[in-house]
Amino acid sequence: MTGIAFLLLFLAALAGYLVNRQAARAIRAGGAPLHSLGLYHGGYAALMMLVPGLIFLLAWLALQGPVVDALVMAGLPEGTVSEAGGAGSAGALVLAEVRSIASGRIFGTPEAWKIEAAARMTALHGGARQLMLIGLAAILAGGFAFARSRVSAAFRARQGVERIILGLMIFCSLVAIFTTLGIVLSLVFESWRFFAMVPVHEFLFGLNWEPQIPIRADQIAGAGAFGWLPVILGTFVITVIALTVAVPVGLYAAIYLNEFASPRFRAVAKPVLEVLAGIPTVVYGFFAILTVAPALRSGASALGIAMSPNTALAAGGVMAIMLIPFISSFADDALSAVPRSLRDGSLALGSTRAETMMKVLFPAAIPGIVGGVLLAVSRAIGETMIVVMAAGLIARLTINPLDSVTTVTVQIVTLLIGDTSFDNPKTLAAFALGLMLFLVTLGINIVALGIVRKYREIYD
Amino acid sequence: MNVMTRAESSVASDVVKISARDVQVHYGTTQAIKDVDVDILDKTVTAFIGPSGCGKSTFLRCLNRMNDTIDICRVSGRIMLDGEDIYDRRIDPVQLRARVGMVFQKPNPFPKSIFDNVAYGPRIHGMTQSRAELDEVVESSLRRAALWDEVKDRLASPGTGLSGGQQQRLCIARAVATGPEVLLMDEPCSALDPIATAQVEELIDELRTNFSVVIVTHSMQQAARVSQRTAFFHLGELVEYGETGTIFTKPRDPRTESYITGRIG
Amino acid sequence: MSEISAIGGPAAAPRRPGITNIARRRRSERVLQGLGLGAILLAFAMLATLVGSLIITGYPAFTQTHLRIDFPVTEARVKSDKPEAGNYRALMQDAMVAALPDADPAAARKLAAMLSNSAQFALRDRVVADPALIGQVVTMTVPVADPYDQLAKGLVRRDTPEAERRLTDAEIAAFDRLAAEGRVSRPLNTALLSNADSRFPEIAGLKGALIGSFYALMTCFVISFPLAIGAAIYLEEFAPKNRLSDIIEININNLAAVPSVVFGLLALAVFLGWFGMPRSAPFVGGLTLALMTLPTIIIATRASLKAVPPSIREAAMGLGASRQQVVFGHVLPLAMPGILTGTIIGLAQALGETAPLLLIGMNAFITAAPATPFDSATALPTQIFIWADSPERGFVSRTSAAILVLLCFLMAMNALAIFLRSKFERKW
């Protein structure tokens, strides 16, 4: 049905285009000079149908589900859900069951009122779809009638079309703003609900992270602890390990590529580093558990050191491999942006190439390099798959790299994988962690991008 | 071709500092310099003039092997500094460049303090033993570059904050600080305003007392004002070389004459 | 000139301060070079180790051990009026007893575990399709179960003590005997691409994940490409230089650096929570990936638009074209190769993205390929994650193989991008 609606929309728009273009050409054939080409008259009709039609369809599709759900829930017989306090988890459970009955998946023998509700749901959806088609047809007809009525020799169809297109383009550029707003709103909203259950100070300053949920509502003992400090400490440990390896290696690689490498070596090395940068992080994660962690463990046991299977070292080390090309390409760009005249000036004073690099070019490129390293920090903090696969799950308050630690992203993923209902602190804790992650990385990114932008302006 | 009349009073010295023979320079497959023979005198300002693209800057960069930093550039022939072939395998270009300093077209102070700019050369070459000695070298270099009085109160402020003329004099001080024997200047005034140009030209004249100065310039007037000897380059060849006065008043080669008259009128 | 040379002669070179320390300076230059080269070689070595270990563990998964075995389909086990309800599990055991005549029948029956669990369904489908087979001996070549597959590939060491092996000596002996009879073969593992997921490694494949990734990527492209081009054209060609444009620009750059898992949270809260979209659906995955890819494509598109020289715009404007006619008629077509290159690179990134898809449930265990973008499905990277998490040994090499498949797609996409860039790129 939805497919038919979209097909109708596009076909009608095409028809509107052709009809209006024909009408405009007829006027010109009649001898009147058109202000705009027939093409624009046709385009005007098509846009007048497409834009409102599309808005209508998308809005309808987004609202149909929730509205039907609300109607079905409101229509349930007295005393079936209301005793659980109206909405909440009981309501959601009933709704899920009704939905699955409506879609034909029946488990066990549901009560008669549920089957009845499912039938109502199916009927409502069917009716809604028909209504949607009728509404769409009305909008299309209205749009066409309006556009057709405006076809005349003097009508500035081109300006009309261009105004609509400009509006569409402005909308496109606002999508990025909407996305950011959506992120902020959803994180803040869900975190708000979390902080209604767990006090803010307990989250921010608590030293225990044991996100269990009570199985029954009256089970207080298993309420769990939601202090994020051990989690952020684990993130910090892994980030420090990753950067300790990646920053020197990345910078030395960039220095070599920028100053010493022959053009032929550079032509090979740059794409290889790009390949390294393009490998998905899930692959790095598997590499960590397949190769790096066992190698580290056998190395450690050869030295007589006991090592937990998910050490921070393995996760951080593999993350370092991911960050090396990122840092080296940033540093290479920053070094290349230093004007050649500085290099010549230094060489002409009799410095070696190494002295030129370390005493003139590198210091001159420091702002750009710092920006790149900061972006790498933010990537390390936000990196998910490597740590989900290679780091631990238990939050420990430790900075020992041979221990197993957990990170913010690991906790977000493990809390949300599988069953997700939005009314227990376990699920909502993930959003609180997500909010903190977003704020921390956003802060670093803004500073880093600001530095990089300033740096580009110096040498442009 | 360069049989010269002996100079009278304007040439301060007739000791040959640099002598070049059969110098050829290729960029990839194109030849930029053909068979250049030239003798550059000590304690003398030598000007290289000629139309754009004639190879005068390229030749200048051969004298301290700055062309080595361009991958596709090949230099052949012999260039002797005090009788030593500077393209000899045993010569380290790094040491050579400490003896043959260079000042560029656009002022290129490092993004460091004024002091660190001047101290850069002495530091990398390990020329001074103590901070006091370094201070002394920096001060005397800045004095020689006629910049000391303008910057002595703000040695710690960045060199890039100076005006264009001051920056260029800072670059000259920086080059002087390594104690070079020859100073190469590649159109040192082309990015400067007339007042700054006058200051730098005055400075060049003073520098002559200690160094051999080679200056590439676009401006005939400048060549006439500051140099004692002039070389005219055309299409990669050295057309004529001799006393500046002679070149400008009685050029022997018709190409020189047309270039000079075309510009000076 | 010769005169002067004669008079001059080499002057005594003054003592050069630099001469004393030049050896040390050259040494430290070599140290720096060595460190730099070492850093790059370290990165190369890491890449080689990564790819090497994936190939070594992954290549066995591209073949699958099969066993040719005769099933005596008897009326006792399968009734001809109801062939679909037959006892095919028992037929497996019968076949084993027949194949190993000198073994104890009770022990031989247990050896039916040698055959993949899928064999009984394959046999059932064949018999149901052709009931005339009842009463005959049906010879089929079926995959063997994972432990035997590992044994045949030499991944299970025979010299480990029996207690630490997953196969007993007797099971190994029986398998060797069948192998000696020429019943064991190891053809190319086409099931890896043509089957959907399964709990049994020997029949698990990537079909569902490939189709899921395809739907997600198409959704991502259809949504992000027009939005990104619209936004980029507006920002580059039409937007007034004011505070709003600045905010949009800073916002886009920051959005490109937001951790991917945060997009997963957004999708979970908004798409699934507020709009009630289906869980695990590639369409929702694609929607999420579109939001992530948007900044990448916008930045690439703006760079390509910027690279078109202003002279083109001026020339068209001079002919009386409107600004939109100039942009859509002249600038955009010239910038298209660069835009497509950026788009493909953005899509390649999206193809490897895992975390947001996990949060919207695209890590579900689903044994059928999705028919539409709205059905539950996995995607390639989430399938890799699922398999990496599976305890069966056979999934280790299958995970590596799946990664190799993913890397092949990424390489193909990047190669296409490089081709487009080199083929159509103009130097102005």
Side-chain angles (χ1 to χ4, degrees):
Chain A
M1 194 66 99
T2 316
I4 293 176
F6 277 99
L7 198 66
L8 173 71
L9 177 64
F10 289 114
L11 286 180
L14 183 66
Y17 170 83
L18 292 172
V19 169
N20 237 18
R21 191 182 66 175
Q22 204 49 48
R25 284 183 178 168
I27 293 178
R28 195 181 54 190
L34 280 181
H35 170 272
S36 302
L37 291 175
L39 173 85
Y40 283 105
H41 286 276
Y44 188 71
L47 284 172
M48 278 317 222
M49 296 162 82
L50 264 182
V51 176
L54 209 56
I55 293 173
F56 171 78
L57 268 187
L58 292 179
W60 189 281
L61 288 173
L63 293 177
Q64 180 178 323
V67 169
V68 167
D69 287 350
L71 286 177
V72 169
M73 292 306 281
L76 287 180
E78 282 293 315
T80 47
V81 183
S82 51
E83 77 226 23
S89 58
L93 269 179
V94 169
L95 188 60
E97 201 177 342
V98 170
R99 265 198 213 138
S100 69
I101 297 170
S103 63
R105 288 176 308 222
I106 303 173
F107 303 105
T109 44
E111 293 91 328
W113 58 269
K114 283 184 184 163
I115 296 176
E116 200 178 303
R120 263 171 57 77
M121 182 179 259
T122 314
L124 279 172
H125 274 299
R129 292 211 184 97
Q130 275 170 6
L131 218 60
M132 175 178 81
L133 272 191
I134 294 168
L136 177 67
I139 285 175
L140 290 177
F144 175 72
F146 176 72
R148 179 69 187 82
S149 72
R150 301 196 66 177
V151 178
S152 71
F155 177 51
R156 298 167 165 246
R158 183 172 62 76
Q159 275 82 344
V161 167
E162 292 192 347
R163 220 169 300 130
I164 298 174
I165 289 183
L166 191 67
L168 287 177
M169 290 196 299
I170 292 175
F171 167 77
C172 289
S173 32
L174 289 179
V175 168
I177 298 260
F178 294 151
T179 308
T180 308
L181 278 181
I183 289 174
V184 172
L185 285 181
S186 60
L187 290 180
V188 167
F189 179 72
E190 305 293 347
S191 303
W192 187 265
R193 292 173 57 192
F194 173 72
F195 290 129
M197 300 180 205
V198 177
V200 181
H201 60 86
E202 201 182 307
F203 175 74
L204 286 181
F205 306 114
L207 296 178
N208 278 310
W209 179 265
E210 283 153 16
Q212 287 99 6
I213 33 162
I215 295 163
R216 298 185 309 277
D218 54 347
Q219 185 183 358
I220 300 149
F226 293 95
W228 85 315
L229 284 181
V231 183
I232 189 72
L233 186 68
T235 308
F236 178 75
V237 168
I238 289 186
T239 304
V240 167
I241 294 171
L243 288 166
T244 312
V245 179
V247 169
V249 174
L251 293 187
Y252 277 120
I255 285 172
Y256 187 81
L257 282 179
N258 199 271
E259 182 62 43
F260 300 107
S262 67
R264 197 186 292 169
F265 184 83
R266 212 179 134 82
V268 175
K270 291 275 282 181
V272 171
L273 286 176
E274 270 173 42
V275 167
L276 212 50
I279 291 177
T281 54
V282 68
V283 177
Y284 281 116
F286 185 63
F287 179 59
I289 50 179
L290 177 76
T291 311
V292 177
L296 280 179
R297 206 154 3 128
S298 58
S301 67
L303 293 173
I305 307 169
M307 212 171 182
S308 70
N310 312 315
T311 61
L313 198 59
V318 171
M319 202 186 277
I321 304 176
M322 180 197 86
L323 292 177
I324 287 170
F326 186 77
I327 292 177
S328 81
S329 88
F330 235 99
D332 191 17
D333 288 350
L335 287 172
S336 300
V338 178
R340 207 189 146 75
S341 66
L342 287 187
R343 184 168 174 266
D344 282 352
S346 171
L347 289 175
L349 286 171
S351 28
T352 60
R353 294 209 286 178
E355 286 157 354
T356 302
M357 173 51 75
M358 297 312 286
K359 298 201 166 124
V360 176
L361 303 185
F362 195 83
I366 275 286
I369 291 172
V370 167
V373 169
L374 279 181
L375 285 179
V377 170
S378 130
R379 270 184 87 140
I381 293 175
E383 168 48 40
T384 308
M385 290 320 294
I386 294 176
V387 281
V388 164
M389 296 169 86
L393 290 178
I394 311 291
R396 283 202 192 95
L397 213 52
T398 173
I399 53 166
N400 178 0
L402 300 182
D403 249 342
S404 154
V405 297
T406 191
T407 73
V408 174
T409 49
V410 170
Q411 289 305 316
I412 293 176
V413 170
T414 42
L415 291 177
L416 292 180
I417 270 190
D419 159 57
T420 46
S421 59
F422 281 89
D423 50 8
N424 66 61
K426 187 182 151 188
T427 316
L428 294 174
F431 284 91
L433 286 179
L435 181 64
M436 303 314 278
L437 175 68
F438 178 72
L439 291 179
V440 170
T441 53
L442 184 73
I444 297 176
N445 291 342
I446 288 180
V447 172
L449 291 170
I451 291 176
V452 171
R453 198 167 158 174
K454 275 236 178 67
Y455 175 69
R456 289 210 182 109
E457 281 164 7
I458 295 176
Y459 290 125
D460 260 355
Chain B
M1 73 180 115
N2 301 304
V3 181
M4 288 176 299
T5 51
R6 291 291 294 271
E8 301 91 2
S9 55
S10 65
V11 176
S13 154
D14 39 18
V15 177
V16 174
K17 190 69 190 171
I18 296 177
S19 89
R21 292 290 175 273
D22 281 338
V23 176
Q24 328 268 347
V25 180
H26 293 262
Y27 284 114
T29 53
T30 55
Q31 187 163 19
I33 296 284
K34 269 180 250 165
D35 301 327
V36 169
D37 290 357
V38 74
D39 284 326
I40 290 163
L41 302 183
D42 200 12
K43 302 200 189 326
T44 304
V45 177
T46 308
F48 290 176
I49 60 168
S52 305
C54 66
K56 52 193 192 300
S57 286
T58 303
F59 183 69
L60 188 76
R61 293 168 67 95
C62 291
L63 301 181
N64 68 344
R65 294 186 59 176
M66 277 304 279
N67 281 334
D68 289 15
T69 64
I70 300 165
D71 290 320
I72 55 165
C73 183
R74 278 182 298 115
V75 179
S76 61
R78 283 198 315 156
I79 299 176
M80 315 288 278
L81 174 67
D82 289 337
E84 261 181 302
D85 186 351
I86 64 168
Y87 281 88
D88 188 280
R89 284 172 50 92
R90 282 168 304 172
I91 293 287
D92 189 328
V94 165
Q95 284 172 295
L96 172 72
R97 289 179 198 137
R99 296 172 63 188
V100 184
M102 190 165 193
V103 175
F104 295 84
Q105 194 168 356
K106 251 181 74 188
N108 55 354
F110 302 138
K112 298 171 184 286
S113 72
I114 293 171
F115 184 91
D116 287 342
N117 261 286
V118 181
Y120 181 80
R123 274 184 180 143
I124 56 169
H125 293 296
M127 287 166 59
T128 53
Q129 306 300 320
S130 64
R131 174 73 195 204
E133 216 179 319
L134 186 64
D135 285 346
E136 207 182 294
V137 171
V138 169
E139 182 179 338
S140 68
S141 305
L142 283 169
R143 278 189 195 285
R144 265 185 175 161
L147 193 61
W148 174 253
D149 292 333
E150 290 162 64
V151 300
K152 65 181 177 214
D153 300 324
R154 45 171 174 151
L155 290 175
S157 59
T160 44
L162 297 173
S163 74
Q166 288 175 324
Q167 286 191 9
Q168 193 62 302
R169 279 181 284 149
L170 178 62
C171 292
I172 293 173
R174 191 174 69 184
V176 166
T178 55
E181 299 154 41
V182 181
L183 201 54
L184 308 178
M185 299 183 138
D186 190 356
E187 301 186 33
C189 300
S190 66
L192 304 183
D193 61 50
I195 294 170
T197 302
Q199 286 172 327
V200 171
E201 283 180 6
E202 204 176 312
L203 180 57
I204 292 171
D205 200 49
E206 281 167 31
L207 291 172
R208 174 163 72 96
T209 54
N210 294 308
F211 315 108
S212 163
V213 179
V214 185
I215 176 170
V216 163
T217 176
H218 251 112
S219 150
M220 227 81 54
Q221 294 96 320
Q222 187 171 58
R225 279 196 301 265
V226 302
S227 72
Q228 287 79 49
R229 303 189 74 87
T230 297
F232 173 62
F233 284 80
H234 185 66
L235 297 175
E237 282 179 67
L238 179 64
V239 176
E240 192 164 351
Y241 177 49
E243 287 286 319
T244 299
T246 318
I247 295 271
F248 278 86
T249 50
K250 290 176 286 188
R252 286 180 298 103
D253 196 287
R255 285 174 291 179
T256 317
E257 186 171 8
S258 63
Y259 180 69
I260 286 168
T261 51
R263 285 290 194 91
I264 305 175
Chain C
M1 186 171 273
S2 49
E3 284 171 70
I4 285 178
S5 306
I7 294 162
R15 191 187 69 82
R16 297 307 313 165
I19 288 169
T20 50
N21 65 2
I22 189 68
R24 184 177 52 75
R25 289 167 61 197
R26 285 295 184 197
R27 206 156 46 235
S28 66
E29 178 166 39
R30 279 195 297 276
V31 169
L32 183 67
Q33 273 197 23
L35 283 172
L37 190 59
I40 294 181
L41 293 182
L42 180 70
F44 282 13
M46 288 299 172
L47 182 64
T49 317
L50 192 155
V51 174
S53 64
L54 288 176
I55 290 178
I56 288 171
T57 49
Y59 89 92
F62 287 102
T63 58
Q64 166 65 39
T65 313
H66 280 65
L67 188 67
R68 183 167 47 76
I69 192 150
D70 313 312
F71 296 106
V73 185
T74 55
E75 186 73 28
R77 300 283 193 211
V78 184
K79 302 277 175 286
S80 42
D81 54 337
K82 239 185 150 186
E84 65 276 6
N87 189 350
Y88 292 97
R89 180 174 288 277
L91 274 181
M92 301 289 109
Q93 299 169 352
D94 296 348
M96 270 300 167
V97 173
L100 298 163
D102 34 336
D104 168 35
R109 262 197 283 282
K110 281 206 181 114
L111 286 170
M114 192 184 293
L115 303 175
S116 163
N117 200 43
S118 68
Q120 52 179 312
F121 304 114
L123 178 64
R124 181 194 64 194
D125 291 347
R126 215 170 139 186
V127 173
V128 169
D130 181 12
L133 291 174
I134 297 170
Q136 296 183 17
V137 173
V138 179
T139 304
M140 286 178 75
T141 303
V142 295
V144 302
D146 182 47
Y148 295 90
D149 186 42
Q150 305 271 332
L151 177 75
K153 288 169 178 168
L155 299 174
V156 171
R157 293 180 61 110
R158 289 161 186 261
D159 51 9
T160 41
E162 189 174 3
E164 291 168 27
R165 263 194 259 120
R166 285 169 66 202
L167 297 175
T168 61
D169 288 342
E171 285 167 333
I172 293 180
F175 182 77
D176 287 344
R177 167 132 194 243
L178 293 173
E181 286 173 25
R183 288 174 176 275
V184 173
S185 59
R186 248 173 76 195
L188 200 62
N189 185 9
T190 50
L192 186 65
L193 296 180
S194 63
N195 278 8
D197 196 13
S198 164
R199 269 187 308 115
F200 304 102
E202 68 271 12
I203 54 164
L206 293 170
K207 187 180 174 194
L210 286 172
I211 295 178
S213 265
F214 175 76
Y215 283 144
L217 223 49
M218 283 323 283
T219 310
C220 172
F221 174 74
V222 166
I223 292 169
S224 64
F225 188 67
L227 283 179
I229 290 195
I233 292 180
Y234 177 72
L235 293 174
E236 195 60 42
E237 306 278 341
F238 295 98
K241 287 270 160 283
N242 60 19
R243 217 171 145 62
L244 180 67
S245 309
D246 272 358
I247 289 175
I248 295 178
E249 169 138 23
I250 291 173
N251 178 54
I252 287 172
N253 286 335
N254 275 312
L255 210 53
V258 167
S260 62
V261 71
V262 171
F263 283 93
L265 289 172
L266 167 78
L268 183 59
V270 176
F271 298 154
L272 302 192
W274 299 352
F275 290 151
M277 292 187 188
R279 244 179 105 75
S280 310
F283 173 77
V284 183
L287 209 56
T288 316
L289 294 177
L291 294 183
M292 293 184 55
T293 317
L294 201 57
T296 315
I297 307 184
I298 291 179
I299 291 168
T301 304
R302 292 190 64 178
S304 314
L305 290 172
K306 216 177 262 168
V308 176
S311 59
I312 303 267
R313 293 176 180 82
E314 283 155 14
M317 295 272 226
L319 294 172
S322 75
R323 279 181 76 185
Q324 285 199 11
Q325 285 172 326
V326 172
V327 170
F328 289 102
H330 295 90
V331 179
L332 193 58
L334 290 171
M336 223 11 137
I339 297 174
L340 287 178
T341 306
T343 306
I344 294 171
I345 287 172
L347 288 179
Q349 274 173 19
L351 178 60
E353 203 51 70
T354 321
L357 301 186
L358 288 184
L359 294 199
I360 58 159
M362 286 191 75
N363 59 331
F365 174 69
I366 293 148
T367 53
T372 73
F374 303 94
D375 296 338
S376 293
T378 58
L380 259 183
T382 50
Q383 189 71 60
I384 289 167
F385 176 70
I386 300 168
W387 283 0
D389 241 12
S390 303
E392 285 87 355
R393 289 233 15 209
F395 277 121
V396 174
S397 65
R398 270 172 172 75
T399 310
S400 297
I403 287 176
L404 292 175
V405 170
L406 173 64
L407 292 183
C408 279
F409 278 107
L410 291 181
M411 278 221 274
M413 290 172 81
N414 280 303
L416 181 64
I418 290 169
F419 170 77
L420 277 177
R421 188 159 52 190
S422 60
K423 173 112 195 195
F424 295 105
E425 191 178 49
R426 288 163 197 249
K427 284 267 177 280
W428 301 101

